[in-house]
Amino acid sequence: MKIATWNVNSILARLPTAMKVFEEVNADVWCLQEIKCEDPRFPRFELEAMGFNIETFGQKSYNGVAILSKHRIEEFVRGVPGLEHEQSRYIEAVIAAPDGPVRVASIYAPNGNPIGTEKFSFKLQFMEALQAHARELLKNEERFVLCGDYNVIPREVDCWDPSVWTGDALFQPETRAAYRALENLGLTDAFIAVDGAAHRYTFWDYQAGAWQKDHGIRIDHFLLSPQAADLLTGVQIFKKARGLEKASDHVPVIANFG
């Protein structure tokens, strides 16, 4: 079982590139963020032709999340339960995998900048609601995967230069504490569990030659329930995707389960 998460930064603008990546990675499930289109405009025809079942939670021009699955989708939820807002940032589905069901969520957490505004407050509110939902999911003792663009730099070694990020919402103590609170529930950061190497990035800005200089950050994460973590066999950051034509500024992260 292979599950991938990817902030595609507009599925319509990057569809040919995205389809090449989907084919090469060959994941069973894709959790997409920033699809940036309303549900009727999502390219279902092209992706269903690749063998995917699809659920989306879109929004015009901004945000938007989706789940693509080569296995049947048995149920789905749009939005973090208990959090009322108008942004499309969370979709959750139960995948009928061959070895048993697995619950998967695609998450696009708020950026939160600038600090000291309602945007930062909403970022923390979103993370708090996600924590409450994860606590409820854990009670079911099932396999689940909460993955996506968390907009959190968990450690200093997850960015190219911490001094550059000290004033950014992604690196604030409150932000990092909110991410640790999820881990402290008993969830496992998949990358840390199987690799944990310093300076392994998932995002490079389009500005200032960040990609060419390898000035990146790690903000795309997998958090796993104990039942899912027990089956984790590997994590890959598909860095190649950043160098493709019309690339997203994020790259896919892929988790393999035995």
Side-chain angles (χ1 to χ4, degrees):
M1 181 76 170
K2 186 185 290 188
I3 301 174
T5 181
W6 189 17
N7 180 322
V8 293
N9 192 9
S10 179
I11 187 67
L12 294 174
R14 307 184 202 286
L15 185 59
T17 299
M19 292 176 70
K20 289 178 184 177
V21 172
F22 294 155
E23 185 173 357
E24 182 166 350
V25 172
N26 193 29
D28 297 273
V29 178
W30 282 91
C31 294
L32 305 180
Q33 301 88 43
E34 276 202 280
I35 61 173
K36 293 185 177 179
C37 66
E38 294 172 295
D39 294 338
R41 297 192 65 221
F42 191 84
R44 285 179 171 271
F45 177 80
E46 294 87 345
L47 299 181
E48 286 174 348
M50 296 182 73
F52 289 117
N53 299 290
I54 300 168
E55 291 295 343
T56 62
F57 184 28
Q59 180 179 338
K60 186 177 180 179
S61 303
Y62 299 98
N63 306 322
V65 285
I67 293 176
L68 317 180
S69 174
K70 292 186 176 177
H71 309 295
R72 189 175 70 256
I73 297 175
E74 295 188 325
E75 59 182 81
F76 62 94
V77 175
R78 291 187 175 99
V80 181
L83 181 63
E84 298 295 329
H85 62 93
E86 296 178 352
Q87 300 178 23
S88 300
R89 293 187 171 274
Y90 182 94
I91 189 169
E92 174 188 305
V94 175
I95 308 298
D99 61 344
V102 57
R103 187 178 299 271
V104 176
S106 179
I107 299 165
Y108 178 47
N111 176 282
N113 282 302
I115 299 167
T117 68
E118 60 183 20
K119 291 184 177 181
F120 188 64
S121 298
F122 178 56
K123 181 185 186 72
L124 299 181
Q125 183 184 6
F126 182 95
M127 294 295 284
E128 185 177 346
L130 184 60
Q131 182 187 156
H133 181 51
R135 187 181 292 110
E136 290 301 309
L137 290 178
L138 283 164
K139 293 178 181 178
N140 299 326
E141 298 187 357
E142 64 182 6
R143 290 190 297 170
F144 69 79
V145 174
L146 305 179
C147 62
D149 177 1
Y150 279 79
N151 270 314
V152 177
I153 303 170
R155 310 173 297 171
E156 289 194 354
V157 295
D158 292 320
C159 61
W160 67 277
D161 182 355
S163 67
V164 173
W165 296 93
T166 53
D168 195 284
L170 280 62
F171 199 56
Q172 291 309 293
E174 301 96 322
T175 301
R176 296 162 74 190
Y179 187 79
R180 286 195 304 273
L182 284 164
E183 293 182 288
N184 290 342
L185 292 175
L187 303 182
T188 297
D189 181 318
F191 174 78
I192 297 298
V194 300
D195 189 329
H199 306 297
R200 297 283 303 279
Y201 309 132
T202 64
F203 169 90
W204 295 260
D205 199 286
Y206 292 127
Q207 307 299 319
W211 166 241
Q212 292 76 11
K213 299 172 184 176
D214 198 26
H215 288 177
I217 53 178
R218 186 176 76 92
I219 56 175
D220 301 271
H221 310 301
F222 277 86
L223 289 178
L224 312 178
S225 71
Q227 294 76 14
D230 285 346
L231 298 173
L232 181 68
T233 59
V235 174
Q236 176 192 5
I237 297 174
F238 194 68
K239 190 175 179 179
K240 174 183 176 180
R242 186 61 176 82
L244 298 176
E245 185 179 357
K246 290 190 175 180
S248 170
D249 42 9
H250 295 251
V251 296
V253 183
I254 305 136
N256 292 284
F257 299 89

